[in-house]
Amino acid sequence: MAIHEETLKRWRLLLGGDQADGTGVALDPTEAQIDKALSALYDFEIRGKFEYSPERAGGSGASQPNVARWLGDIRTYFPASVVQVMQQDALQKPELQKKLLFEPEILEQATPDVHLVATLMELGKLIPSKTRDTARRVVQQVVDELLEKLAQNTIQSISGALNRGVRNRRPRLSEMDWPSTIRKNLKHYQPTYQTIIPEDLIGFGRKTRRSLKDVVLCLDQSGSMGSSVVYSGIFGSVMASIPAIKTQMIVFDTEVVDLTEDLRDPVDLLFGVQLGGGTDINRALGYCQQVIQKPNDTILVLITDLYEGGNLAQMRLRVQEIVASGVQLICLLALNDEGAPYYDHGNAKFLGDLGIPVFACTPDMFPEVMAAAINKQDLKQWAGDREIALKG
């Protein structure tokens, strides 16, 4: 009989009581607290919000959220293996995830990835001081992993494009571009000696203190652009380390913030971003017009879903002015691995009709995009050759 009652109690806790309970089993005070702890998490979708107040004896009033108390109680009532499962289940619920990430212990257990960093950026200044150091360590870990994955290819692609753009016809030995020199002199091949007479020498451009290209990353920091913001910050920091490129980072929602000084430390840069809010592309482009000093040698990468919350007519006029000034403008609807993005089709078509390439870009492809832009290739043709769908 005791075994049967214990089984019924387990079913009662599983079913959650109320209309789902057909067991007729009464719970003692401790079991009732366990039931509340389970219901707080697994009835979350039914209520649409997190409610947990174990002290409440009855009544119909809504309880106040108390994540810290819930975390403490589940550690009391359940073994560590079950606690870990419940915490991971809670982190799968976006609304509840943000509350849980305020707790250092939960944040340390969360899987560090781009999406977690985007969530922390969205929380921003709301993160309590007790969790801020943990949040910074998580962001640092993700940044380090992305830098290891992306930095080398980015530097090689962009540096190679810059070197190809500045040919040196009287190179020193250390400046020789051997593949290009060999191709250029194949007609001078001497069969007898089985060698090439290099009449025309081709070398890479000599290093210079001045920038050969200016790159302005203009980044939409509205909530929908979270992972794109993370990758943009990484690439901005990497490009800022290349002496021949002057890189500027501009982020915007309804306000515009210049984060160029933070490019030296991508973690500081990402903590300087505040995801959320509206979108004023017009205002951001106006700021970009002010900071662009060499239009013919400037690449402006506008990263946005093109949903304009500001002055649409003025925004389109600014785009026309920027293109007419000689700036090479590229619009990336997303910079992530998340597939087809949502975007404003009308504005995408407007930009496309002006000859501006508009497409979504994966992080692995971004270095090639920048290399092609530096070499002033036809990016529409470049995208078509790689079966990248242009929008607009």
Side-chain angles (χ1 to χ4, degrees):
M1 188 67 181
I3 296 176
H4 177 67
E5 184 176 351
E6 182 66 25
T7 301
L8 286 176
K9 282 189 176 182
R10 289 177 178 272
W11 274 107
R12 164 62 184 81
L13 292 171
L14 176 65
L15 293 171
D18 299 326
Q19 295 179 357
D21 178 22
T23 64
V25 173
L27 302 177
D28 65 30
T30 299
E31 292 164 346
Q33 298 288 28
I34 294 174
D35 185 50
K36 288 180 181 180
L38 291 168
S39 297
L41 174 59
Y42 295 109
D43 288 347
F44 181 80
E45 287 84 357
I46 298 174
R47 290 190 305 269
K49 58 182 178 179
F50 182 80
E51 293 181 352
Y52 185 64
S53 181
E55 304 87 357
R56 186 163 59 90
S60 58
S63 61
Q64 296 298 316
N66 193 336
V67 174
R69 178 60 182 270
W70 177 78
L71 289 171
D73 284 352
I74 65 173
R75 296 185 195 110
T76 300
Y77 300 137
F78 302 101
S81 59
V82 175
V83 170
Q84 187 173 6
V85 170
M86 293 180 70
Q87 290 174 346
Q88 290 299 323
D89 287 347
L91 286 172
Q92 300 306 311
K93 307 178 189 302
E95 300 87 348
L96 188 52
Q97 181 191 63
K98 294 176 183 179
K99 299 177 185 294
L100 287 168
L101 292 180
F102 287 157
E103 301 297 324
E105 178 182 342
I106 301 300
L107 184 54
E108 288 175 351
Q109 294 180 3
T111 302
D113 59 17
V114 169
H115 302 290
L116 179 58
V117 172
T119 300
L120 292 173
M121 288 162 50
E122 187 174 355
L123 294 173
K125 296 179 180 178
L126 296 176
I127 299 175
S129 56
K130 67 176 181 179
T131 312
R132 192 165 293 275
D133 287 343
T134 306
R136 188 175 183 86
R137 287 199 301 272
V138 170
V139 174
Q140 184 71 63
Q141 180 178 346
V142 175
V143 166
D144 290 344
E145 291 174 356
L146 290 177
L147 285 173
E148 183 178 357
K149 176 183 177 182
L150 301 171
Q152 183 176 359
N153 186 37
T154 302
I155 292 173
Q156 287 179 345
S157 297
I158 293 177
S159 297
L162 289 167
N163 289 334
R164 287 191 294 273
V166 184
R167 291 302 186 190
N168 180 2
R169 296 295 178 177
R170 299 180 63 184
R172 301 186 181 97
L173 183 62
S174 62
E175 298 167 345
M176 285 291 296
D177 180 354
W178 289 109
S180 297
T181 298
I182 291 170
R183 285 194 298 269
K184 180 71 173 178
N185 292 278
L186 284 175
K187 60 185 176 182
H188 302 307
Y189 179 72
Q190 302 295 312
T192 304
Y193 300 102
Q194 295 186 339
T195 190
I196 292 173
I197 305 299
E199 293 187 4
D200 297 311
L201 302 180
I202 299 176
F204 295 125
R206 292 190 174 95
K207 293 182 179 179
T208 175
R209 291 184 178 272
R210 69 180 182 86
S211 64
L212 300 176
K213 283 288 182 180
D214 291 356
V215 175
V216 180
L217 299 176
C218 186
L219 178 58
D220 183 346
Q221 63 174 353
S222 58
S224 60
M225 301 295 292
S227 57
S228 295
V229 171
V230 178
Y231 282 115
S232 299
I234 297 297
F235 282 118
S237 294
V238 172
M239 289 192 293
S241 71
I242 302 174
I245 289 184
K246 177 184 176 183
T247 304
Q248 295 171 277
M249 172 71 79
I250 314 299
V251 300
F252 68 93
D253 42 35
T254 54
E255 301 293 330
V256 180
V257 180
D258 193 330
L259 295 180
T260 302
E261 292 299 318
D262 291 329
L263 284 171
R264 291 167 293 185
D265 186 337
V267 176
D268 282 344
L269 186 146
L270 293 176
F271 271 104
V273 172
Q274 180 63 62
L275 286 179
T279 308
D280 194 334
I281 303 173
N282 171 56
R283 190 169 186 174
L285 291 177
Y287 183 86
C288 291
Q289 286 179 301
Q290 296 175 27
V291 301
I292 291 173
Q293 299 177 345
K294 302 185 298 181
N296 291 323
D297 289 317
T298 298
I299 302 169
L300 173 56
V301 185
L302 177 62
I303 305 172
T304 178
D305 54 17
L306 290 175
Y307 286 105
E308 173 64 309
N311 188 324
L312 177 60
Q314 184 67 31
M315 183 272 282
R316 292 186 172 187
L317 179 61
R318 287 192 191 278
V319 170
Q320 291 174 308
E321 292 173 349
I322 288 171
V323 173
S325 72
V327 172
Q328 192 174 3
L329 178 57
I330 304 167
C331 180
L332 302 182
L333 301 171
L335 179 54
N336 56 41
D337 290 310
E338 297 172 16
Y342 292 99
Y343 63 96
D344 187 300
H345 291 256
N347 283 331
K349 183 178 187 307
F350 176 81
L351 267 63
D353 289 345
L354 291 176
I356 299 168
V358 181
F359 57 96
C361 181
T362 64
D364 289 341
M365 189 66 70
F366 184 77
E368 293 186 41
V369 172
M370 294 308 302
I374 288 169
N375 286 329
K376 293 194 173 181
Q377 296 181 34
D378 183 337
L379 281 180
K380 289 193 172 184
Q381 180 63 47
W382 177 89
D385 291 344
R386 289 156 180 79
E387 299 183 349
I388 298 174
L390 292 170
K391 311 300 181 182

